[in-house]
Amino acid sequence: MKVIYLMLPIALALGFGFVAAFIWITLRGQYDDLETPAHRILIPEDSLEASHIQVNHEELNQV
Amino acid sequence: MSHASHSPNMQFSNSMNSIEPAPVSNRLCIHCNTLIPKNRKDDFCCRGCATVYELLQVRGLDTYYELKKKGRSIRKAVPVDDEVENLEKNSFQYLDDPEFLRLYSTAASENPNSLLTGRSMQFYLDGVHCAACVWLTEKVSDFVEGVDSVRLDLANSVATVKLNTEGSFGIVAEEFARLGYRPHPVKQDTLHALKKRDERIMLVQLAVAGACTGNIMLLAVSLYSGLTGPLAEQFKWISFGLFLPVFLFSSIPFYRGAWGAIRTQQISIDIPIVLGILLGTAMSVANLINGSDHVYFDSLSALVFLLLSSRYVLRRAQQNALNASNLIHFLTPSIARKKNEEGLFEEISLNLLRTGDVVEVRAGECIPVDGIVQQGQSMLNCALLTGESQLQKIEPGQNVFAGTVNQQAPILVTVSESGSQTRLGQILHSMEENLNRRAPIVAFADRVSKSFVTTVLILVGLVFFGGFYLLGDWHETMNRALALAIVTCPCAFALATPLAMSSSIARCARSGILVKGGDVLEKLSQISAVYLDKTGTLTTGRFEVLKYTGDEQLLPIIYALESRSNHPVAQAIIRYLDPPETLPEVENFVETLGKGVAGTIQGDHYRIGRLKKAMSSPSSQKIEKQSSASPVETQIGIYRNEVLVAEIVLGDRIRTDSQEALEALRSLELNLKILSGDSSSAVHFTAEKLGIPLSDAVAEKTPEEKSEIISKDPKALMVGDGANDAVALASAYVSLAVHSGMEVSMRAADCCLFSPGVLPIHRLIVVSRETMKVIHRNFIFSLAYNIVGGIAAILGKVDPLFAAVLMPLSAFTVLISSMSGTAKLRKISNEGVIG
């Protein structure tokens, strides 16, 4: 049963590593919005790159 | 400024059309996937959608439609407002006003290393619903200069726009509007930031409690199954270490709640919880040091974790209900168009207006101030402010009040009072006063727990001292007192109410009812009378065609004539009719104020105006009264060459579901009453149609008189919509604001409806009564458990360890009982779910 003195601290450290990670990301606001990321993943990457379409506002008003 | 080019078509706002849908085809709109009305020939449901589609094509943004096919919609897509067509340039210029920026934007000072020292502002966007919307709104940063980033929070419909120093919020907002998402700036107050912080901390507390509880339970399993020796001792110390974060950090909300209650000399359920936690901890620590077997860290942390989860779920349920609503919609800043020295109009924030300023109010807009009409004639809708259903004619020199809606033509108003000095402002003020004065109800749970806690404390004391006296055995006495304290720990008791309430509030939210707290459900279950407002609550609150008698062939002619007028009556008729395929040519069109419209079509002279026959002979008036006409209705005649050929009856229509809703409420043995500010003839007419005795229909009441009547009834539910109801809503025992009411009333009321009509009230009351049944059931169960356990503990039949195992078990039973509700509750909440 000696091995428990090795396993227990490892198990606790592992568990609390994840708790710490959870606290960190929660305080950084990653759990504020649970809905949008699920949708954002559908957007293909190339369409997110800034293609920088310049828009002339005078022109727009005629559309 | 382009206000001169304003087109009268803008009054046909989308919100008006959506209530009474036109007949639809089976085709779907390319842009918004709603059914296309029969009378449209293209692939769009409305002009708004067509305009946005065209714009996306021109800009090469048609990826939007590909994305739309892939993604799932989180809410129903709505057609784009037709106003997008007439969107004026610079109509959001006020957003860049320094005063406005100070109130609504924040400097990006969080990251000082960033060169982008611009500001950020949040917008509530109407109509965002899927991945494609996320893509499109965030794409704005690519094609508007000076925008650093746009991030959309889809669940809340809130986009955060971050600018470079060069950018302009006005242009970004205009861009959103052009893409079909009407933007409403959201005020960034410190309260909002604090709430967000609170929520994050709550989640962390829950996580810590969960992780610790899990680990403690793993250790406890080996202890329960008979682990002894040094390892057992070490395990107990480790559990103690794991319990510390729960005790010192996760339980903070309970300590705060209990302290707050003690300081204000009230009793709250937090007090027994804290007592339980402190007592349990003290005993466990004492036993730990003594080397005794009885430590209860597992039960205590499980109690904290379960309680925190139920509170978190409760909060999320309420939050979701708020998000699903359009409540935030009303936070739109109030803007007025003020005439400046050069005679031009500029948009300024409402609180900058001074007495004597002249503001322009366009047709369809709300009058922002109390004042005197300087120029222009129009019709005024006062329904929200006074409850009157008939439109009022206004001319120069007349007084107008903030909160009324200008229906017909642009007017200029000289400001006499603005802001809190207006009639509306005063109503708001007295509403807030009433809200504060309302006595807090001592919830059933608190009443019971108060006596419960006292009883337990006395019993433990008795057992402790009396036991020692009777038994003479110190150790045995200690054990019995401990077992009693643990077995009566208010675990199941504390969970009984919040769990049942939160599951019911979530049920309500799913069927479109926002309930602002658990005590509201309890109050709702006790009411004996329902006071209903008339205009806008039982009726639709706007002018509508009730009946048309005449030849179908005449309809295109009526349409052609009335479409040239923007009189409210004409608008109501246009809304009612389908646009004809070919519009007949109109010659010599004349509109006379108060007389109607006339013109020559295909050689015949047509005139549409007030019907004469009812006015002329008293005998026919009598007949009319017996048929359908009433004092609240307006009759319009269509004359061909001065011969009456058709009739239209208009009025404030009683909602289609009102009758059914009142029947349902009567079946719950509730007293139904009407409380209205409208004229008694109009109120009596409605009461008669809905089968409410005239003695119960109270009319011509000012907002203050309404409030007085309602506050005299100790068990009354007030249902209303407008500003004229707000004070009564605030002073009623419990109150409810119906769909499309004013912000004031939504804020004053305890619950709000998010679907039109009054039918959901029945469901709400049934849910509240059933919820109380579940709570009573939970109480009976946990009390029975506590009494049986307590007696057994006093008699020494239960040792503290066994009590500690029983405790989470009883909490679990309460959890199951709350989640499953009653059969009736499950049935009624499944009926009302809106998709």
Side-chain angles (χ1 to χ4, degrees):
Chain A
M1 282 302 269
K2 279 254 165 74
V3 74
I4 204 152
Y5 293 107
L6 180 69
M7 295 308 287
L8 207 64
I10 292 178
L12 286 177
L14 210 64
F16 281 89
F18 283 111
V19 172
F22 182 84
I23 293 173
W24 183 56
I25 56 179
T26 306
L27 293 182
R28 276 178 47 126
Q30 291 213 22
Y31 284 97
D32 288 356
D33 181 3
L34 299 173
E35 186 71 50
T36 324
H39 294 271
R40 203 173 269 131
I41 203 166
L42 290 171
I43 302 169
E45 219 151 286
D46 53 332
S47 72
L48 275 179
E49 277 166 27
S51 47
H52 243 90
I53 317 161
Q54 282 302 323
V55 173
N56 183 335
H57 273 267
E58 292 308 312
E59 231 171 73
L60 276 181
N61 283 323
Q62 276 139 40
V63 172
Chain B
M1 289 285 286
S2 42
H3 68 273
S5 67
H6 160 68
S7 114
N9 287 336
M10 274 189 50
Q11 298 158 34
F12 298 94
S13 81
N14 208 35
S15 60
M16 290 288 192
N17 291 334
S18 63
I19 299 173
E20 204 82 27
V24 287
S25 64
N26 50 7
R27 295 173 304 138
L28 294 178
C29 173
I30 300 181
H31 185 74
C32 70
N33 284 347
T34 46
L35 289 165
I36 301 175
K38 257 192 196 149
N39 49 37
R40 278 194 75 91
K41 295 283 163 285
D42 53 10
D43 291 325
F44 300 99
C45 64
C46 60
R47 296 196 307 270
C49 283
T51 312
V52 174
Y53 181 79
E54 215 171 293
L55 180 79
L56 294 186
Q57 295 297 331
V58 168
R59 293 211 195 152
L61 293 170
D62 42 355
T63 319
Y64 176 79
Y65 298 101
E66 281 169 41
L67 279 173
K68 204 181 173 94
K69 273 180 222 145
K70 283 195 237 164
R72 171 182 65 93
S73 291
I74 67 156
R75 55 180 79 87
K76 216 171 156 265
V78 285
V80 174
D81 203 315
D82 280 351
E83 271 182 39
V84 72
E85 249 192 349
N86 308 315
L87 198 68
E88 288 163 17
K89 220 182 155 227
N90 297 336
S91 47
F92 291 98
Q93 218 174 17
Y94 66 86
L95 292 175
D96 294 314
D97 188 77
E99 176 71 8
F100 191 85
L101 282 178
R102 198 175 58 76
L103 286 170
Y104 281 84
S105 73
T106 47
S109 57
E110 278 180 351
N111 189 356
N113 300 332
S114 166
L115 289 172
L116 312 162
T117 49
R119 305 183 74 82
S120 64
M121 194 186 280
Q122 293 193 321
F123 293 95
Y124 176 84
L125 298 181
D126 276 348
V128 285
H129 62 276
C130 65
C133 299
V134 177
W135 176 77
L136 192 57
T137 47
E138 297 190 349
K139 199 83 183 160
V140 166
S141 64
D142 283 354
F143 52 72
V144 179
E145 271 206 74
V147 181
D148 178 31
S149 69
V150 179
R151 290 293 274 187
L152 180 71
D153 175 349
L154 194 57
N156 293 316
S157 303
V158 171
T160 310
V161 178
K162 212 156 139 197
L163 286 190
N164 296 340
T165 21
E166 312 293 305
S168 143
F169 287 116
I171 292 174
V172 178
E174 201 179 316
E175 206 56 46
F176 284 144
R178 238 175 251 291
L179 294 174
Y181 310 112
R182 204 151 51 144
H184 308 272
V186 178
K187 204 167 181 173
Q188 309 233 299
D189 46 5
T190 43
L191 201 76
H192 182 77
L194 278 177
K195 226 176 88 189
K196 208 167 175 179
R197 217 185 110 77
D198 259 13
E199 233 156 75
R200 288 178 186 174
I201 290 184
M202 204 167 164
L203 193 59
V204 171
Q205 281 166 337
L206 180 63
V208 169
C212 292
T213 307
N215 282 299
I216 294 173
M217 280 190 164
L218 277 178
L219 296 172
V221 166
S222 46
L223 289 174
Y224 285 144
S225 52
L227 185 70
T228 47
L231 205 54
E233 215 48 41
Q234 281 151 7
F235 272 22
K236 276 183 222 154
W237 279 99
I238 296 174
S239 336
F240 174 60
L242 286 169
F243 174 67
L244 276 181
V246 179
F247 182 62
L248 297 175
F249 173 65
S250 295
S251 316
I252 291 176
F254 305 113
Y255 303 146
R256 273 218 190 105
W259 177 236
I262 291 169
R263 225 179 17 191
T264 52
Q265 298 186 339
Q266 278 165 359
I267 282 286
S268 97
I269 193 74
D270 281 338
I271 294 176
I273 293 170
V274 168
L275 257 166
I277 294 174
L278 291 181
L279 218 66
T281 310
M283 287 173 182
S284 303
V285 170
N287 282 344
L288 184 66
I289 293 167
N290 291 339
S292 153
D293 273 348
H294 310 299
V295 292
Y296 316 107
F297 299 125
D298 55 333
S299 306
L300 289 169
S301 53
L303 167 74
V304 172
F305 174 65
L306 282 174
L307 283 172
L308 279 177
S309 331
S310 82
R311 286 194 187 178
Y312 188 75
V313 168
L314 188 82
R315 194 166 171 150
R316 283 304 287 235
Q318 276 169 299
Q319 204 89 47
N320 284 343
L322 274 171
N323 290 342
S325 75
N326 296 320
L327 213 59
I328 203 164
H329 195 105
F330 297 101
L331 301 178
T332 312
S334 325
I335 298 300
R337 263 182 305 280
K338 186 190 133 182
K339 198 176 185 178
N340 62 15
E341 294 85 27
E342 291 126 55
L344 295 172
F345 289 95
E346 53 177 13
E347 291 185 333
I348 66 162
S349 170
L350 248 191
N351 28 12
L352 299 178
L353 277 181
R354 300 277 167 273
T355 304
D357 285 348
V358 174
V359 294
E360 182 201 33
V361 184
R362 295 172 185 172
E365 286 183 345
C366 198
I367 294 179
V369 293
D370 284 3
I372 296 158
V373 180
Q374 195 198 42
Q375 198 186 314
Q377 288 184 332
S378 184
M379 301 291 273
L380 211 57
N381 181 350
C382 305
L384 284 175
L385 190 70
T386 62
E388 274 165 81
S389 52
Q390 284 285 34
L391 297 174
Q392 256 179 31
K393 211 156 113 184
I394 48 164
E395 357 187 86
Q398 244 172 320
N399 282 318
V400 288
F401 296 99
T404 54
V405 181
N406 179 16
Q407 291 281 14
Q408 189 180 6
I411 53 169
L412 293 181
V413 177
T414 313
V415 179
S416 47
E417 306 285 0
S418 66
S420 59
Q421 296 302 307
T422 59
R423 179 84 187 98
L424 184 67
Q426 285 165 5
I427 290 179
L428 239 163
H429 180 72
S430 60
M431 166 208 97
E432 264 156 22
E433 260 189 357
N434 275 307
L435 266 186
N436 292 338
R437 209 182 300 142
R438 186 152 63 179
I441 73 154
V442 183
F444 177 71
D446 280 349
R447 284 196 304 274
V448 179
S449 63
K450 190 181 174 183
S451 43
F452 178 75
V453 171
T454 328
T455 318
V456 168
L457 285 180
I458 293 172
L459 268 180
V460 172
L462 275 179
V463 167
F464 199 73
F465 295 108
F468 183 60
Y469 178 73
L470 285 177
L471 297 171
D473 180 354
W474 187 248
H475 184 74
E476 180 60 25
T477 313
M478 186 78 178
N479 254 355
R480 287 189 188 184
L482 264 174
L484 179 66
I486 288 161
V487 100
T488 50
C489 174
C491 184
F493 212 75
L495 284 169
T497 321
L499 277 178
M501 290 288 187
S502 66
S503 90
S504 284
I505 288 177
R507 279 175 213 267
C508 287
R510 274 202 298 277
S511 48
I513 307 166
L514 167 70
V515 179
K516 291 189 186 164
D519 58 332
V520 176
L521 282 179
E522 189 180 343
K523 286 190 198 169
L524 276 170
S525 68
Q526 299 163 348
I527 55 161
S528 59
V530 182
Y531 289 76
L532 298 129
D533 173 49
K534 184 187 76 77
T535 320
T537 303
L538 290 172
T539 68
T540 55
R542 61 199 182 92
F543 232 48
E544 274 181 69
V545 173
L546 301 177
K547 209 171 98 191
Y548 171 77
T549 26
D551 199 341
E552 286 268 325
Q553 308 262 297
L554 283 169
L555 293 176
I557 293 166
I558 297 171
Y559 193 92
L561 281 170
E562 293 290 31
S563 61
R564 290 166 181 244
S565 159
N566 52 12
H567 190 276
V569 168
Q571 286 176 43
I573 294 174
I574 293 294
R575 271 202 303 274
Y576 171 74
L577 297 176
D578 292 333
E581 286 174 21
T582 48
L583 216 57
E585 200 82 17
V586 182
E587 290 163 54
N588 312 323
F589 177 80
V590 208
E591 179 172 8
T592 332
L593 201 73
K595 294 253 170 66
V597 292
T600 311
I601 295 170
Q602 287 149 7
D604 286 318
H605 178 259
Y606 286 93
R607 188 170 66 77
I608 305 178
R610 218 166 249 274
L611 195 67
K612 279 212 186 100
K613 69 171 184 189
M615 303 293 173
S616 54
S617 79
S619 63
S620 68
Q621 201 169 2
K622 223 178 226 165
I623 296 163
E624 280 301 318
K625 205 163 186 177
Q626 276 168 359
S627 57
S628 70
S630 81
V632 280
E633 288 168 356
T634 304
Q635 286 177 295
I636 300 293
I638 293 98
Y639 299 87
R640 178 164 48 206
N641 301 323
E642 291 305 313
V643 179
L644 183 71
V645 286
E647 278 175 43
I648 295 177
V649 181
L650 295 110
D652 184 13
R653 192 170 55 79
I654 295 174
R655 286 185 197 274
T656 40
D657 63 355
S658 289
Q659 183 77 45
E660 191 189 340
L662 295 192
E663 285 306 325
L665 288 178
R666 262 187 216 114
S667 70
L668 297 176
E669 289 171 357
L670 293 169
N671 256 332
L672 302 180
K673 289 172 186 190
I674 294 184
L675 193 56
S676 175
D678 206 356
S679 68
S680 50
S681 54
V683 171
H684 287 168
F685 174 74
T686 312
E688 219 168 301
K689 281 221 157 171
L690 292 173
I692 291 173
L694 293 190
S695 54
D696 283 343
V698 186
E700 292 170 18
K701 290 287 172 257
T702 64
E704 288 78 9
E705 285 169 332
K706 277 188 175 185
S707 157
E708 221 180 282
I709 295 173
I710 200 86
S711 54
K712 274 188 194 134
D713 196 326
K715 296 273 184 239
L717 166 69
M718 172 76 201
V719 182
D721 69 326
N724 63 322
D725 304 313
V727 190
L729 289 172
S731 56
Y733 181 62
V734 58
S735 56
L736 179 138
V738 296
H739 180 66
S740 76
M742 280 184 97
E743 184 206 346
V744 206
S745 57
M746 295 223 171
R747 217 175 330 145
D750 296 315
C751 16
C752 306
L753 300 184
F754 294 113
S755 52
V758 284
L759 203 52
I761 300 174
H762 168 254
R763 189 179 312 131
L764 179 63
I765 293 175
V766 173
V767 167
S768 74
R769 289 184 181 176
E770 291 300 310
T771 308
M772 289 316 287
K773 272 187 205 160
V774 174
I775 290 176
H776 288 165
R777 187 173 73 192
N778 288 350
F779 273 136
I780 289 170
F781 170 76
S782 60
L783 271 182
Y785 158 82
N786 277 322
I787 290 168
V788 171
I791 291 171
I794 292 171
L795 297 178
K797 302 278 181 213
V798 180
D799 68 344
L801 192 71
F802 189 64
V805 179
L806 267 184
M807 200 169 68
L809 214 66
S810 73
F812 191 68
T813 321
V814 167
L815 182 92
I816 303 266
S817 154
S818 301
M819 289 301 151
S820 57
T822 63
K824 205 169 174 186
L825 198 59
R826 281 195 298 274
K827 184 167 164 263
I828 197 142
S829 49
N830 287 338
E831 276 170 8
V833 173
I834 50 175

